[in-house]
């Protein structure tokens, strides 16, 4: 059984989640094209994979995203590369597979975003 949370606790949590979303928008300079749902999985997933020393292939990055057709997912990757958030590199000896990695710019932005929002969550709970 789960314990019942007070309205005040849930309000604090809801405000924290809203703050997280607002911080995401601020991190990406309120760019209307970098919506959380569409890009969060791609950008955070690529960053975590790279931090773990196992960069994602383009195919894996496409599968990691939760919405959109295959073409839409590939277009998101192309856009993130074009805007300087991800780099795309050949992988393996045969050069057929490609990996995507966060650029230093994205890593700095996301590190700041995650540090700020972790602080908000810690303060809320």
């Amino acid at each position: 059984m789960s314990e019942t949370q007070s309205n005040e606790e849930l309000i604090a949590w809801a405000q924290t989640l809203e703050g997280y979303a607002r911080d995401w928008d601020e991190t990406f300079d309120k760019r209307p094209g970098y919506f959380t749902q569409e890009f969060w999985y791609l950008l955070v997933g690529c960053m975590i994979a790279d931090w773990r020393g196992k960069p994602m292939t383009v195919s894996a990055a496409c599968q990691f995203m939760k919405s959109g057709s295959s073409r839409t997912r590939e277009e998101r990757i192309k856009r993130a590369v074009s805007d300087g958030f991800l780099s795309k590199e050949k992988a393996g000896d045969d050069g057929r597979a490609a990996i995507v990695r966060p650029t230093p710019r994205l890593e700095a932005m996301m590190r700041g975003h995650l540090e700020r929002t972790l602080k908000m969550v810690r303060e809320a709970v």
Side-chain angles (χ1 to χ4, degrees):
M1 283 190 207
S2 65
E3 73 179 76
T4 303
Q5 304 297 313
S6 73
N7 285 350
E8 288 305 312
E9 288 174 312
L10 293 177
I11 288 168
W13 182 239
Q15 289 173 330
T16 299
L17 293 175
E18 180 185 1
Y20 182 92
R22 288 185 189 281
D23 192 89
W24 175 272
D25 292 341
E26 291 290 328
T27 298
F28 288 91
D29 298 323
K30 297 184 181 179
R31 288 181 147 179
Y34 277 87
F35 298 111
T36 306
Q37 180 65 23
E38 294 178 356
F39 282 91
W40 191 91
Y41 294 103
L42 170 63
L43 299 178
V44 173
C46 287
M47 193 177 63
I48 289 170
D50 196 62
W51 282 354
R52 288 182 170 159
K54 297 182 180 187
M56 283 189 168
T57 63
V58 170
S59 177
C62 285
Q63 291 173 4
F64 201 71
M65 288 182 257
K66 303 297 181 198
S67 65
S69 67
S70 294
R71 181 177 174 168
T72 297
R73 294 171 190 215
E74 290 172 6
E75 287 299 319
R76 286 181 194 144
I77 292 171
K78 286 180 187 174
R79 180 171 179 195
V81 169
S82 175
D83 289 347
F85 297 129
L86 295 177
S87 65
K88 189 174 173 182
E89 309 167 8
K90 295 287 183 192
D93 295 332
D94 63 10
R96 290 184 286 177
I99 56 171
V100 286
R101 290 191 142 133
T103 61
R105 175 182 175 208
L106 176 66
E107 188 169 350
M109 291 168 64
M110 290 301 298
R111 183 173 289 280
H113 169 65
L114 293 171
E115 288 172 353
R116 288 187 302 275
T117 55
L118 177 59
K119 182 180 178 192
M120 287 188 323
V121 169
R122 285 180 173 156
E123 290 172 356
V125 295

